[in-house]
Amino acid sequence: MERQTVLRGILVLLLVVAVATPAALAFIRQRQPDLILKGPGVTRVGKLSEYFDGIKGTANDPDYYLFEGPEKGGTMIVWGGTHPVEPAGYLAPILMIENMKVTRGRLFLIPQINISSFGNTKIGIGDVDSFTIPTPFGSRKFRFGGRGTNPIDQWPDPDVYTNPITGQSLAGDESRNFNRVHPGHPRGYLTERLSYALMQMIRNEKADVTIDLHEAPPDRPLVNAFAVHERAVDLASLAILNLEAQGIKVRLEMSPKFLRGLSHREVGDHTQAMAILMEAFSPYHGPLRGRADEAHLLTAKDSFLVLASKMGRTSVKVPPEGVPIDVRVARHVTSIVEVANALTELTPERGIKIEGAPPYEGMVKNGIGAYLKQPPVGNQRN
Amino acid sequence: MNIYSLITAFYYVIVLYFAVMLFWQLITQKQLSMQIAIAIALIPFILRLLYIK
């Protein structure tokens, strides 16, 4: 081995490493947690692994925020971030964590349930990796992740994924899709173990209601809709009536009995809770869309979607002025509050009273940034 | 430890093996153009071993 050849080889490697370093740093930066500021109503913050230690110490052990009122009542568990490509799904619980309190019953909020999936973006799509919400004090930045658990945390994907409980078979990468692996398995893939931990939480806390927050592109039928398990129909219907009275239109969709692995089916079938999945509008992750940049994500102004809508190719009308993130988040926040109100109305002894959640009109008019808290100096993620 | 952890551990052993072999080729290859190509090929293996991507 010639010394000159060795030195030249190492030098070449160092040069190539230097070129690759910015990309490596970007990958590492994507795993930095988002800043979520604990509001005055939060009683306790914990880890989901308290309910199943099979996820303890892994990349998929998300935080939960408990709100417990002084008056006894029911229990509701709400999670966002099943799909981190659907930002209204996790911004809604974050806004609630930073603002609201519960005066009756208990509310568990898990804003970023598939936390591993925030550490990567969809491969080969060119999505943004984060977005910024303007606020009165400047701005707050949040990650925009992928649709499934980060492959660095769960590998390899099988050729075909068969849900171990339901037996339903799907494409292999769906083994990392948190809304296809329910009700989970204690010795399964990391995503299945995460689902199992959530099911254990729902059972152990004797949850009356669960809500899974999403966004859906307008070419799919489930937009501005609740997908509900059959045991949750009365509850969801009453909440929808109350939302309609406020001018917020929501469609009720029954959870199909043979579409398995989704939260609205499996939570309802495998636990005592009434399961609801909520979908707001998404401009971003469907096949029809314009340039996928940050402005597009936040405003949903998209001439392609408007044209598709005029041609009758979308399930909801897409307005030229877009569907801002403020409206999408406002729908989710208000819907959660109305489900709690409906639970109180239907079963007064198991009621939940939420106070101080940002009002719908306020979020739409002033923007959701008006309700995000200012981080302490030196604690801003930018 | 479950079957998936074992598969992942085995995978990292394979990655390490290829990384060492590529590095050996890098420091013994006489052609500069081949050294550059090998260095580029080595990067994904290094990133994997460092649990970055």
Side-chain angles (χ1 to χ4, degrees):
Chain A
M1 203 184 326
E2 289 175 27
R3 183 181 159 82
Q4 192 190 350
T5 309
V6 174
L7 287 175
R8 197 180 63 188
I10 291 171
L11 183 66
V12 167
L13 180 61
L14 289 176
L15 285 172
V16 175
V17 166
V19 172
T21 297
L25 291 177
F27 289 130
I28 293 168
R29 202 166 45 237
Q30 188 68 14
R31 289 187 224 152
Q32 299 299 310
D34 292 306
L35 188 63
I36 299 175
L37 299 169
K38 207 166 67 166
V42 176
T43 315
R44 185 161 59 85
V45 182
K47 289 276 185 191
L48 193 57
S49 58
E50 291 167 22
Y51 298 90
F52 171 57
D53 63 9
I55 57 168
K56 195 172 185 177
T58 71
N60 240 351
D61 185 6
D63 291 334
Y64 71 79
Y65 296 76
L66 169 63
F67 296 77
E68 187 160 17
E71 202 180 332
K72 283 211 180 310
T75 299
M76 189 154 85
I77 299 178
V78 179
W79 62 91
T82 289
H83 298 140
V85 288
E86 301 164 14
Y90 50 94
L91 289 175
I94 289 173
L95 271 191
M96 296 180 82
I97 287 164
E98 298 194 0
N99 290 280
M100 64 160 213
K101 62 180 181 176
V102 168
T103 54
R104 186 178 176 203
R106 298 187 306 160
L107 173 62
F108 289 85
L109 287 178
I110 312 171
Q112 296 177 314
I113 190 145
N114 193 359
I115 187 74
S116 156
S117 188
F118 285 81
N120 68 312
T121 51
K122 282 164 82 176
I123 295 161
I125 303 293
D127 284 348
V128 295
D129 58 5
S130 62
F131 57 90
T132 303
I133 302 290
T135 68
F137 51 83
S139 64
R140 289 271 298 272
K141 196 170 187 176
F142 297 94
R143 285 179 294 170
F144 184 83
R147 196 159 189 267
T149 302
N150 192 339
I152 203 86
D153 300 320
Q154 181 181 310
W155 187 93
D157 288 343
D159 292 334
V160 174
Y161 168 62
T162 302
N163 187 307
I165 304 300
T166 68
Q168 180 177 267
S169 290
L170 297 164
D173 61 352
E174 296 288 22
S175 65
R176 292 184 285 108
N177 183 343
F178 187 61
N179 204 28
R180 297 295 181 278
V181 301
H182 296 306
H185 194 283
R187 292 178 302 282
Y189 292 108
L190 179 59
T191 317
E192 290 175 336
R193 283 183 274 146
L194 177 68
S195 167
Y196 184 79
L198 178 64
M199 297 294 156
Q200 288 296 92
M201 180 192 214
I202 294 166
R203 292 182 195 111
N204 292 358
E205 298 296 348
K206 298 179 174 54
D208 300 274
V209 187
T210 64
I211 298 176
D212 182 8
L213 299 168
H214 289 255
E215 289 186 348
D219 52 280
R220 292 184 200 158
L222 206 66
V223 182
N224 296 339
F226 290 1
V228 300
H229 190 267
E230 50 272 18
R231 286 191 293 104
V233 171
D234 290 350
L235 177 74
S237 303
L238 184 55
I240 288 172
L241 283 173
N242 290 336
L243 286 163
E244 295 229 348
Q246 299 172 50
I248 304 166
K249 290 200 169 174
V250 177
R251 243 186 30 255
L252 187 143
E253 293 276 345
M254 290 299 294
S255 170
K257 286 197 172 174
F258 301 106
L259 182 58
R260 306 307 302 266
L262 290 94
S263 66
H264 49 76
R265 169 54 42 204
E266 306 306 338
V267 171
D269 281 2
H270 292 270
T271 76
Q272 75 293 335
M274 293 179 276
I276 300 175
L277 182 149
M278 295 180 178
E279 296 273 13
F281 181 99
S282 164
Y284 205 86
H285 70 287
L288 298 171
R289 67 172 191 194
R291 182 178 165 180
D293 56 16
E294 188 175 342
H296 182 262
L297 174 69
L298 297 179
T299 65
K301 279 185 193 166
D302 189 326
S303 57
F304 292 96
L305 285 178
V306 172
L307 178 62
S309 178
K310 282 179 183 164
M311 292 169 71
R313 302 291 185 192
T314 58
S315 64
V316 292
K317 190 170 178 292
V318 181
E321 64 273 20
V323 186
I325 189 75
D326 310 303
V327 174
R328 285 134 62 190
V329 172
R331 284 184 72 93
H332 275 337
V333 171
T334 313
S335 297
I336 294 166
V337 172
E338 286 306 333
V339 168
N341 290 342
L343 182 70
T344 309
E345 207 171 320
L346 287 174
T347 53
E349 72 284 359
R350 300 292 297 169
I352 297 168
K353 183 77 182 157
I354 296 172
E355 289 182 2
Y360 182 87
E361 291 301 332
M363 283 186 275
V364 172
K365 191 179 166 199
N366 306 320
I368 55 172
Y371 299 94
L372 286 169
K373 299 295 179 219
Q374 184 168 9
V377 177
N379 198 11
Q380 170 67 294
R381 180 182 184 263
N382 271 317
Chain B
M1 178 171 279
N2 58 24
I3 183 71
Y4 307 110
S5 310
L6 280 174
I7 292 171
T8 300
F10 186 58
Y11 166 74
Y12 276 96
V13 170
I14 295 170
V15 172
L16 178 65
Y17 172 78
F18 277 99
V20 170
M21 290 297 109
L22 280 168
F23 184 74
W24 178 254
Q25 283 295 310
L26 178 75
I27 59 173
T28 54
Q29 181 57 245
K30 288 192 169 26
Q31 264 184 282
L32 177 63
S33 60
M34 281 304 289
Q35 281 187 313
I36 293 170
I38 293 166
I40 292 169
L42 187 52
I43 291 300
F45 290 87
I46 293 172
L47 291 176
R48 268 287 169 174
L49 286 172
L50 295 176
Y51 206 71
I52 292 173
K53 183 67 178 177

